[in-house]
Each structure stands twice: as structure tokens, then as C-alpha cells.
Amino acid sequence: MRPLQAHTVLHVEPPIFELGAAGRSGASLPEMDVPEIDPGQEFGVDVLRCEDPLLPEVSELEVIRHYTRLSQWNYSIDEGFYPLGSCTMKYNPRVNEWTARLQGLTDIHPYQNDDQIQGALELMWRLEHALAAVGGFARVTLQPAAGAHGEFTGLKVIRAALSARGERRRKVLVPDSAHGTNPASVAFNGFAPVLLASGEAGILRPQDVEQALEREGADQVAALMVTNPNTLGLFESHIAEIAKILHSAGAMLYMDGANLNAIMGKVRPADTGVDVMHYNLHKTFSTPHGGGGPGAGPVGVTEELARFLPVPVVERRNGRFVLDYDRPDSVGRVRSFMGNFGVLVRAYTYLREMGADGIARATELAVLNANYVRARIEKEYPAQYGGACLHEVVLSDHRIEKETSVTTLDVAKRLIDYGFHPPTIYFPLIVHGALMIEPTETEPLEEVERFCQAMEAIFVEAHEDPELLKHAPHSRGVNRMDEVRAARKPVLRWRPEASDS
Ligand SMILES: Cc1ncc(COP(=O)(O)O)c(C=O)c1O
């Protein structure tokens, strides 16, 4: 039963298994109108269950209320400022949802003939070319289902190209500020990640890349995987020189394009020497994300690498759009059908709505908002790497840690009481007590300013009443979580008897 409590904050919602009563159900099934069978005889007794499955026994109303209450606990970009660094939680215009729900796009099936799905194929063809124009690439595959999947696919293309050259290079250089998915994608492709330390300014230096090539063996290095702007929010200004160094050693340059929101419409990565790059459509090109998906991580490549892209690709032949599977050098499929089509529709809508000028303006505003935050609160929360940032600013707890007993985690939790989603914290690891703040271009100045005022107020509280911060948040249904316990003992599948262990 839900505990009866007078509350000023949100109530605690028990797991659905603790609601309802034995025998209660929300379903009404029609009378069986086919002959009953003996499942043991039909399928063999060894496949039969020994016990009834543990299912919630609740009425329809209880289910509806339970999930409605849970949804009200959620925080979303539609509710308020969501400066979760590295995630680009921008507002997603409703027109994207409208197009993604158009019947002509939702009621088709990927097994239909090309002739019957010309509109969907044209949309994919146009999206591919729009993304290629933004990145400066020859071709783009739309198949990968997320950024990490794009990384996996892009590196697979690099591996195939190296094999075609008769080379067996097995090392990929990855800067220490990289997103964790980068080394993981390297390893998934059978390469070994080699860590590169960022220079003092927080960006890669050409001499460090040269030294790494020398140390690891220039003929052993397949690629460098760099994020630009990197996860410190800084533009890798030596990227063109680094590309030349890699290319002259026979290695390639992979760019993690998840942070494209800081440069789209301003810099075309292929012009800086990038051979392969993935785009995070769910971040930069505006699809609701979080909680694990769905997303899309298209991969752009240069002319030289285009033949290795996954099959099928959409081609326009004699005014018709067709799926081309006849690509003998392709790395093969990386996902069923054409990827997350609904996300592709949203991204296409967004690009059409914004146009070339619009995306350049979005970049300018994203960078302006991040620098506004930096300039406003850098005194209280100093940045480890000085100077202007791009789309996100990474601040540190240097001052607050020295002057108070409060930590970055306490600051983040207290922000919830002020009505803001906390920023990303303790990432990148190379920044002490990192607070990674990405306001995005869709936030109005007043909201960014309110956030800065909250950060200032928290700084004062940290000095005057640190205990208040240590137990924050105070305004939500649950207070401070035992995060160590949650990480070490995840509840994989809730059972009543296991609920307390
Ligand atoms: C820099 C960077 N690379 C890669 C990824 C992975 O993208 P995804 O979560 O879509 O797999 C992210 C995600 O935020 C990112 O910020």
C-alpha cells in the first residue's frame, strides 16, 4: 500500500509490486474460442515453468496513476534548464514531432518495395546530403543507432580500409579527455587504445602526436580519435596540423562529432583533415534523448572511404530513389533496416527548419551562453583551463574545496532544490571536481542568468551552512541517494523478498 503521509514535498512511490492486491487485474480477456491444449504434451514438460511468474496484480487505474506519478518525478527539458554537459540537452521543437508522426512515414514497412516508399527514401537521401554538407564529407551512412555505435562503425570502416591497403595497424591514439565510449569502440574493433595526455592548455599538441607515433611505431598506429571541440569545451586548434602528421605516417583521423553543436555551420571537419566522423543526431540535430535512446549516430567519410560504408545506401538513379546493396567492399550491415528512422525524420525536419544560417546562429548562441556562464561564475568556480570556451564550460571545485567542506556532488544536489537539473560532474576526470555545464542555444538569457544566481547562492551557502548542502536535495521525493550502494548492488529485477537486501 502507498504510505499515507502529509507531505510538503513529492511523496514516495513504492515499486508497482507493492501496489494492488492478490488476484487484482487490469486486463479482461475474451472467452477462449480455440481448443485448449496441454502445453506439456505439446512442447515438452522440460520447457514448462515450475512457478507462476511474479507479476504485479493491479487494476488499470493503479497502473495509470503509478506511472503518471513516476513521470512527474522526472525532470525534462520541457520543465526547465538542463545544463548536462556533453549531452546537449537542447529544446526539441514540436514541429519535429509532428513530422515524425505523419502517417505516410509511420505506416510504412522497410520490407516494402522501393517504389512504395519513395518519400522515405528521398528523405534519407536528402538527410545524408545535408549532413555531408555540414561535415564536408563525401558520403554519410545513417544506420548507426547512437554516437557510440557510430564510433564503432567509423572505426570499422577505417579497419576495412587499412586491410584493403594490406596493412595491419592495431593501435588507436585517444586523448585522456575523451568520452568513455571512444576507447570502448576502439577495443570493440580489435584495436588497442593508447592514451594521449592533453597539453597544458587542455588541447592536443602536434609534438605529442608525433612523439606518440614514434613511441608506438608509426606503422602500428591506425588512427587518432579526437573529439572536437573536446570534452573540456575547447577547440582543438592544431587539428589540421595533426591531421597532416597522421596522414604522412599512413594513419587516419577519426573525429568524435558528438559536440558538433559548437561548430556546425562554422567549421566543416573534413576541411580540417578529418577522414571519418560520427554525428549525434539526438544531440545536435534535436531529438528528445536521455534514459537510453532512441538516437542516431550517422558516420561521414571522405571519398576514399565511401566504398566501405555499411549497406544499403540510398542512391538516386534516373529520378528514383533505390536501396543499393551491391557494394562489395562494404563492412556490411551494422543495424537492422535503415536505423532509427523516426530520429532521422526529426533531424531532417530540424535541418530544413533551421537552414544553413540557422545552424550557424545556433552555434553562435550555444557558445555565447556557455561563455556567459563562465564569465559570471568563474570567480566562485574557477575553470582549470582559462580563456574562452565553446559550447560548454568545465568549472572546478578548487575554491569551494579549499574554503569549505562542500564537494562538487553537494553543489550538484543543491541545484535540484533551486529547480535546475545538475550539470555533469566529475567528468572529464582530468579536471578536479569537474562541473561540466552546457546551457545550449535554446536557453533564454534570463534562464541562464537565474542558473548563475543559483550557483552564486550555493557558493554562499557552502560557507555559511555546509550541512544544508550535504543533505540536499530537500525538495524532492527522495533525498540523497546512497550512490555507492546503488552502483555496487543494482536492483536488476525487483522481487518482494529481495527488496531489503
Ligand atoms: C563526446 C561524446 N562522444 C560520444 C558520445 C556517445 O554518444 P551516445 O550516447 O549517443 O552513444 C557522447 C554522448 O554524449 C559524447 O558526449
Side-chain angles (χ1 to χ4, degrees), residues 84-88 145-151 177-182 185 225 227-231 256-260 278-283 289 292-297 391-392 427 436 438:
L84 195 66
S86 200
C87 292
T88 315
H149 196 196
E151 294 166 26
S177 61
H179 199 268
T181 49
N182 286 191
S185 302
M225 199 173 185
T227 308
N228 200 16
N230 64 26
T231 57
D256 179 331
N259 294 339
L260 206 63
H278 79 264
Y279 310 67
N280 273 38
L281 295 194
H282 42 295
K283 292 173 57 173
H289 66 289
H391 64 303
E392 62 197 356
F427 177 76
M436 188 188 211
E438 182 178 7

Side-chain angles (χ1 to χ4, degrees), residues 344-368:
L344 306 183
V345 177
R346 289 174 175 87
Y348 180 67
T349 311
Y350 179 76
L351 276 162
R352 287 300 300 262
E353 178 80 23
M354 299 289 279
D357 292 344
I359 61 170
R361 184 83 184 123
T363 292
E364 286 163 12
L365 292 176
V367 173
L368 189 61

